[in-house]
Amino acid sequence: MNFEIDSIFVERGCADTPLATRVIRAAATRVPIVHIDDARELAKPDPNARDPFGAGKRRMIIARRKTPFLMACPAGSSRFACCGYLVLTLASNCPMDCSYCFLQEYLADNPAFQVYANFTDSFDELDRLIRSAPDKHFRVGTGELADSLAFDSMTGMSRDLIEFFSTRENLTLEFKTKTDEIENLLATDPRGRVLVSWSLSTDAVFRSSEHRTAPPSARIKAARVVLDAGYRVAFHFDPLIAYENAQRDYVELIDELLDTISPKNISFISMGGLRMTPGLRTVARRRFANDPMLCGEEVMAPDGRYRTFTPLRLKLFSTLAERFRNCGAEIPAYLCMEPAAIHERVFGTVPPRPATIGERLASS
Ligand code: SF4
């Protein structure tokens, strides 16, 4: 994929790092490279920009991360039936622009696209984690505050990550992406310890709401290629959006997926409904005023988020769950950020504890 950036800013002390060297070489003469003392001011929104968040996405900053890389998934909460996911923050923000993306609110004060030059320091944190619980298996993802593979052709981060994770038995790395940027993955042997997951949407959602992402068919084709190269693959149907004809379109999407990838080769699927805090809803509707996907029937849920009207999202969850149940192989499935009662109505069982789900997904 070919994302556009206006400038690359390199913070003092980072210019000679392998990451900065690769990015500068890949950007060649196309993008101005500016060396700066301190990235903090540049990470903030540009008050003169018409769309400060959108402008931030086009400003790449290479800087040191000064806080820990590893944290619990920000979507996790005792209110929800969670999957026990751990998040590695190696970059912040994303060159793509989905109208429903929670980063519009979460990173409103720091919208620049930041990549952390000292990202391999995270490997020490991971080793400490393994030593603290040698009998456990952890699923760790890099796709929470950024897309895992966007710009990977410039940063080459995936290669370092795969090399590290391929030698750690108790860890599974999950790359989560809406791109088809898989070239570096094909050059590195994951030794079964790396999973690549794609968020999948219908063509209607892609065209209306997922700007600069790869088309859903291209994501499915990329999944097939990495599967053949020794990676595990998984799929997130999140957010499911309840527009007219959504059920028909999602079933067609699943059919396309299962025609390309045998169900026995799918490590898991997750589903989540469209959900927005009032703040996110306001900024999303302002930035994407013509997106009908943001204007469905919704209710204010007890967690303070607007969610798709419960019968509509239950219908979508149940339709997808049934299609996967009847596909000829048992694919582990979970709901993201939904209460246990919704899980029970969709799957007919009480959700397992987060740690149990996480371990099952990590090793499936
Ligand atoms: S691809 Fe993911 S991180 Fe990037 S804008 Fe879309 S939802 Fe946000």
Side-chain angles (χ1 to χ4, degrees), residues 57 94 96-98 100-101 103 146-147 178 213:
K57 285 172 173 281
C94 167
M96 296 170 275
D97 207 1
C98 301
Y100 51 75
C101 179
L103 297 180
D147 183 282
K178 285 199 183 95
T213 63

Side-chain angles (χ1 to χ4, degrees), residues 85 88 90 140-144 146-148 161 173-176:
Y85 192 55
L88 262 195
L90 308 181
V140 182
T142 59
E144 203 58 31
D147 183 282
S148 298
L161 288 162
L173 169 64
E174 180 177 343
F175 290 124
K176 196 192 276 189

Side-chain angles (χ1 to χ4, degrees), residues 56-70:
K57 285 172 173 281
R58 301 173 62 96
R59 201 163 62 242
M60 186 182 205
I61 294 177
I62 299 175
R64 283 184 69 77
R65 185 171 175 86
K66 296 163 189 87
T67 50
F69 289 92
L70 191 62

Side-chain angles (χ1 to χ4, degrees), residues 4-26:
E4 290 181 1
I5 35 182
D6 296 332
S7 334
I8 297 173
F9 296 91
V10 183
E11 196 178 58
R12 184 161 41 92
C14 298
D16 294 330
T17 58
L19 181 113
T21 308
R22 288 178 210 151
V23 170
I24 291 169
R25 193 186 305 130

